[in-house]
Amino acid sequence: MARDVIVVGAGPVGLMTAGELRLGGADVVVYERLPQPTRQSRGASFTRRTAECFEQRGLLERLGPTEPADSHFGGVPIDLGMLEEDHYGHRGVSQFRTERMLEQWVGELGVPVLRGREVTALRQDGEGVVVRADGAGGPCEERAAYLVGCDGGRSTVRRLAKIAFPGTEGRRGFLTADVTGIATRKRRIGENLPGGSMVMAMDLEDGVTRVVVHEAGTPPPRDRDAVAFFDLADAWQRLTGESLHHGRCRWISCFTDASRAAAAYRSGRVFLAGDAAHVQPPAMAQGLSVGVQDAVNLGWKLAAVAAGRAGDGLLDTYHAERHPVGAQLARNARAAIELRLTGEDMDPVREVVGELLSHPDAAAYAAGMLSNLGVRYDLAKGDHPLLGRRMPPARTLTLADGTRTTVAHLLHTGRGLLLATPDADPHLTAAAREFTGLDTVTATWTSPPGEAADAVLVRPDGYVAWTAPGTADTLTDALARWFGGR
């Protein structure tokens, strides 16, 4: 019997997608090209919204201690302390640490991760997708109803699905490494140097320092595998006068300032998420974060359609909602890199941007883009300030039995929520109970989510699809759109 979904790629995005699918009841398997987990770690931080996504599934605490991450745009700091809401991200988290946590989670959910299985071909028809892969046992084929490519910026799935990947070519080269045995001054958001060069150093766990170097005029490396630690150490010494040559390199790589977004996130029964759908310089600290949010947006929808609980039209909302986010990310990355690395000619612009960001409204807007808390989807007609935005997961409620809980805890199951106060029309909760895929919770707000609401419909990804009052559509309309069959 064909599976519901094959996910290609066992990085953070692929694993998060698989977990979301399994929570929704889908039969899912993960294919990974590499035979063993790697300790390579491009991502070392994630945004506030991504932390909330982990928290909504009870995963954030599994990562252990992290540090709050400051915010900046192109090296111009943003004072997050002036904002009412917490926009601080999390830093000092190696990507392999995140992957290890997520693989343990999907293992507990019963999702197989098949390593050493490289996709070489695919074909799709009206009933599903056939995937051909090479593995230790030789070539194999497997059919699934859907395929999700989470296989990185050089995505094989994207190429085989013939999805265009427009954007800008890389013009600048960066070297990055995880190093032990050094005690260099920390430059957590990076430090601009004369002529458009930049260096960065931040703590990871176990005495590891993440180091990044951009030496102005250095072209993108042609061969990633040929990059050596002494190349980075030599460049660091030329730029700072400090020597890192005595350090022990655990991992080294290179990247460019290329910025791209896929023309489509869906082609029939094939979907893209994470770097397969959008790439940008890691210095933006956005790639892993936006990819995890892709997964949280797609997983519950695809599981509902695969199970027959919702119609195919629900899947079109994935591209409609996430492609604008990826396009904005590509634009922001280009702007931030130019602001940061153009050199002294950009100083007047940096001063103006700094002045603008000293005003709370401008700082809140910029911080919302960078923390991803500013994401708003067009989910329904209405004027409630929460409509289309994420429900703050830390908001607390008191249940009828006196138990206090949070929105995040109620979302651990990956199901939708109708949160109703005792003042809500009882017909609302009765209507919700006729639909599958969501829970109805009657409670009073201990910490109100902004403007008062008698009832709030929260999708499994944590975004508000309907409120009473404040939404023109009826609850039945909203339930039918997002939760399909009864």
Side-chain angles (χ1 to χ4, degrees):
M1 181 180 295
R3 293 186 186 273
D4 292 327
V5 187
I6 295 172
V7 174
V8 180
V13 178
L15 294 170
M16 193 74 193
T17 301
E20 293 292 295
L21 285 163
R22 190 71 195 102
L23 283 179
D27 178 12
V28 57
V29 63
V30 179
Y31 286 7
E32 169 54 49
R33 176 180 60 85
L34 297 175
Q36 298 294 333
T38 175
R39 291 185 69 83
Q40 295 185 0
S41 185
R42 294 185 73 190
S45 60
F46 48 84
T47 66
R48 181 66 187 175
R49 180 55 192 157
T50 299
E52 291 183 347
C53 290
F54 289 149
E55 187 180 14
Q56 288 174 177
R57 300 298 182 254
L59 300 174
L60 186 60
E61 63 182 18
R62 294 191 182 202
L63 281 172
T66 64
E67 293 183 1
D70 299 323
S71 187
H72 67 95
F73 188 81
V76 179
I78 301 174
D79 180 7
L80 299 180
M82 74 170 76
L83 307 181
E84 292 184 6
E85 192 165 21
D86 182 1
H87 285 72
Y88 286 95
H90 293 244
R91 69 179 173 214
V93 186
S94 297
Q95 184 169 316
F96 67 81
R97 180 173 152 197
T98 303
E99 290 176 5
R100 187 169 59 239
M101 177 273 289
L102 290 172
E103 187 161 4
Q104 180 182 11
W105 175 56
V106 300
E108 293 167 3
L109 294 174
V111 177
V113 177
L114 305 183
R115 294 191 174 274
R117 186 166 292 196
E118 182 173 7
V119 172
T120 58
L122 66 87
R123 64 183 187 274
Q124 59 174 315
D125 53 37
E127 300 299 322
V129 184
V130 176
V131 179
R132 184 175 178 83
D134 288 338
C140 63
E141 282 192 350
E142 186 170 11
R143 171 178 279 272
Y146 299 96
L147 173 69
V148 184
C150 305
D151 51 339
R154 300 178 181 180
S155 171
T156 297
V157 172
R158 187 184 64 236
R159 175 177 56 81
L160 293 173
K162 298 181 180 179
I163 298 174
F165 202 40
T168 60
E169 295 288 345
R171 297 187 295 113
R172 301 177 175 94
F174 300 75
L175 299 176
T176 182
D178 290 350
V179 187
T180 61
I182 61 174
T184 186
R185 175 171 59 86
K186 298 303 177 280
R187 302 156 171 95
R188 292 184 176 86
I189 69 169
E191 181 178 295
N192 293 356
L193 299 174
S197 296
M198 185 271 292
V199 295
M200 188 193 82
M202 63 178 287
D203 291 327
L204 299 181
E205 68 279 353
D206 302 326
V208 178
T209 301
R210 165 63 53 85
V211 179
V212 180
V213 176
H214 167 67
E215 190 170 14
T218 302
R222 292 186 177 182
D223 185 358
R224 181 180 300 178
D225 295 332
V227 174
F229 178 58
F230 65 78
D231 296 320
L232 182 150
D234 288 351
W236 183 278
Q237 189 163 28
R238 285 193 296 269
L239 293 173
T240 69
E242 303 171 358
S243 176
L244 303 180
H245 292 83
H246 60 284
R248 294 177 296 279
C249 179
R250 292 178 50 174
W251 166 77
I252 186 166
S253 187
C254 60
F255 58 92
T256 76
D257 60 344
S259 184
R260 298 180 178 275
Y265 283 21
R266 178 189 186 187
S267 176
R269 291 176 173 269
V270 178
F271 297 82
L272 303 176
D275 285 356
H278 43 76
V279 295
Q280 61 289 314
M284 282 286 292
Q286 294 273 304
L288 182 153
S289 292
V290 175
V292 167
Q293 292 166 55
D294 292 341
V296 174
N297 184 285
L298 176 62
W300 66 275
K301 297 174 181 177
L302 193 50
V305 175
R309 297 192 301 269
D312 184 77
L314 180 63
L315 299 179
D316 290 331
T317 67
Y318 172 60
H319 173 90
E321 293 173 3
R322 296 305 298 170
H323 186 268
V325 176
Q328 183 188 67
L329 175 62
R331 181 206 67 179
N332 289 353
R334 292 194 297 271
I337 286 293
E338 293 303 323
L339 183 65
R340 162 150 251 169
L341 300 179
T342 296
E344 288 79 2
D345 289 346
M346 191 64 75
D347 283 346
V349 179
R350 295 187 187 103
E351 292 179 8
V352 171
V353 172
E355 290 176 5
L356 291 172
L357 293 180
S358 69
H359 295 275
D361 288 348
Y365 180 80
M369 288 195 303
L370 297 168
S371 67
N372 310 131
L373 298 189
V375 171
R376 184 169 195 169
Y377 302 136
D378 183 14
L379 303 188
K381 296 178 181 179
D383 58 5
H384 196 284
L386 275 178
L387 193 60
R389 296 190 180 276
R390 105 280 188 223
M391 169 64 77
R395 292 293 187 264
T396 57
L397 311 92
T398 301
L399 305 179
D401 63 0
T403 303
R404 182 173 293 189
T405 189
T406 64
V407 172
H409 184 78
L410 294 173
L411 287 169
H412 283 188
T413 62
R415 294 165 58 85
L417 294 171
L418 178 66
L419 304 175
T421 69
D423 295 329
D425 185 341
H427 292 95
L428 298 178
T429 55
R433 291 191 178 100
E434 296 183 19
F435 287 78
T436 58
L438 77 158
D439 298 321
T440 301
V441 177
T442 300
T444 57
W445 293 107
T446 308
S447 55
E451 188 171 316
D454 291 337
V456 179
L457 180 64
V458 184
R459 304 191 317 185
D461 58 356
Y463 285 82
V464 175
W466 180 89
T467 64
T471 305
D473 302 335
T474 67
L475 175 61
T476 301
D477 290 338
L479 290 169
R481 181 180 184 189
W482 301 112
F483 297 94
R486 303 185 182 208

